[in-house]
Amino acid sequence: MNVQEYIASGILELYVAGVLTEKENLEVAAYAQEYPEIMVEILAIENAILELTRKSSSVNPYSFDTLKPKLDNLESDTKVIPLKKETSNWTAYLGWAASILLAIGLFWVYTQNENLKSEIQLVEQQNQQLEQQIADSDASLEKTQDLLNTLRDKDISVIPLGGQEVSPSSYAKAYWNKQEEKVFIDAQGLPEPPNGFVYQVWSLKLSPLTPTSMGLLEDFATDDNKVFALNNPNDSEAFGITLEPAGGSKSPTLEQLYALGVVSTS
């Protein structure tokens, strides 16, 4: 049991005020016997309430006993209405004590309510984030399905691109839809480009060798499926991928040719 959290919960103030159920009273009493810190806190609450009420009631030092001699010195024909002697200040004490404990109880309820509001807001935020993640997943799944349907189209030509001298283990595939003049580059087999560099895709005519840039594989590191769609209105005989400085180059850097594939003539 965390004694400090139990003390801070406000239940001891309610115990002193006498507003707990019998079961709760027995529980507090048992904890007070087991944990000296709880007993000390209960006594401190009782003493604080009694001291506060004593000070509050002491602002009026007059009682019937102090006023009676002065009343006896008045003229005998003065009509005096006798007052009942005040027997105790416990009524005032209890009134102040009840007010203080009521304020403590209301503050505790207010604190619990604010904590509950915060927890509800946190749950709502988590639900919104979860809903967004589900929506993103659905969109990603739909996009992937559309891509697979495109790559499986009967009009698609598949051109394997093998690794070259600079990176023999590299590979890629080009999915060319001549009718729609689009090429999908599957670059999963290429290493991540170093900072300040980007992959550039080229449409090649072989005789004589004539390269035409088709575009860059932008955001390579953050693209999960590594499939890039590029326009290709060219009558391509081969496709090549080179590593170029950020922003691309006007002509390919052949020393940085990572993958190359020739279009089948059959």
Side-chain angles (χ1 to χ4, degrees):
M1 173 182 177
N2 191 319
V3 175
Q4 294 305 317
E5 286 186 3
Y6 187 77
I7 292 174
S9 68
I11 193 171
L12 299 184
E13 287 81 356
L14 300 178
Y15 172 77
V16 174
V19 297
L20 297 179
T21 64
E22 181 179 356
K23 180 180 179 181
E24 290 171 330
N25 283 331
L26 292 175
E27 181 183 83
V28 174
Y31 283 147
Q33 293 296 323
E34 184 177 357
Y35 301 101
E37 301 97 317
I38 294 178
M39 177 62 75
V40 170
E41 184 67 19
I42 291 174
L43 295 176
I45 294 171
E46 292 177 345
N47 291 335
I49 293 173
L50 291 176
E51 179 65 17
L52 182 59
T53 53
R54 184 187 65 77
K55 290 182 178 179
S56 299
S57 63
S58 65
V59 296
N60 183 9
Y62 297 104
S63 66
F64 181 80
D65 290 334
T66 59
L67 293 176
K68 188 174 183 303
K70 295 181 180 181
L71 294 175
D72 290 339
N73 290 333
L74 296 176
E75 294 293 337
S76 60
D77 59 344
T78 301
K79 186 177 180 180
V80 178
I81 300 175
L83 298 175
K84 292 183 178 181
K85 181 178 179 181
E86 183 179 355
T87 59
S88 173
N89 284 330
W90 276 106
T91 301
Y93 291 161
L94 292 176
W96 277 100
S99 299
I100 293 171
L101 290 176
L102 177 60
I104 293 173
L106 291 176
F107 177 76
W108 180 78
V109 171
Y110 172 79
T111 302
Q112 296 299 312
N113 187 47
E114 290 300 308
N115 292 338
L116 181 60
K117 287 181 180 179
S118 299
E119 291 176 1
I120 292 174
Q121 291 177 353
L122 178 60
V123 171
E124 289 177 347
Q125 291 175 358
Q126 292 174 342
N127 288 340
Q128 291 175 357
Q129 292 174 356
L130 181 59
E131 290 174 359
Q132 185 61 47
Q133 290 175 356
I134 293 173
D136 292 343
S137 297
D138 290 342
S140 178
L141 181 61
E142 183 178 356
K143 181 180 178 182
T144 300
Q145 189 61 49
D146 290 342
L147 179 59
L148 287 175
N149 292 336
T150 299
L151 299 184
R152 291 167 179 167
D153 191 284
K154 62 182 179 63
D155 296 324
I156 287 285
S157 298
V158 182
I159 301 94
L161 281 63
Q164 301 301 299
E165 184 177 356
V166 68
S167 181
S169 61
S170 294
Y171 63 92
K173 281 187 179 180
Y175 296 85
W176 184 16
N177 189 321
K178 293 183 181 180
Q179 292 182 351
E180 296 183 3
E181 298 184 342
K182 283 188 175 295
V183 172
F184 295 88
I185 301 295
D186 180 359
Q188 190 70 48
L190 296 178
E192 185 174 327
N195 291 335
F197 289 86
V198 65
Y199 287 117
Q200 189 166 355
V201 182
W202 305 89
S203 169
L204 303 173
K205 295 288 286 186
L206 298 178
S207 183
L209 182 61
T210 307
T212 302
S213 176
M214 293 168 49
L216 307 176
L217 305 186
E218 299 279 10
D219 302 320
F220 188 92
T222 58
D223 192 295
D224 291 332
N225 56 32
K226 299 292 188 292
V227 176
F228 303 84
L230 303 172
N231 293 323
N232 183 36
N234 309 291
D235 186 15
S236 305
E237 295 179 353
F239 296 102
I241 301 176
T242 60
L243 185 67
E244 305 292 343
S249 302
K250 291 183 178 180
S251 59
T253 305
L254 297 180
E255 295 82 0
Q256 294 296 321
L257 180 63
Y258 271 68
L260 177 66
V262 177
V263 178
S264 175
T265 57
S266 58

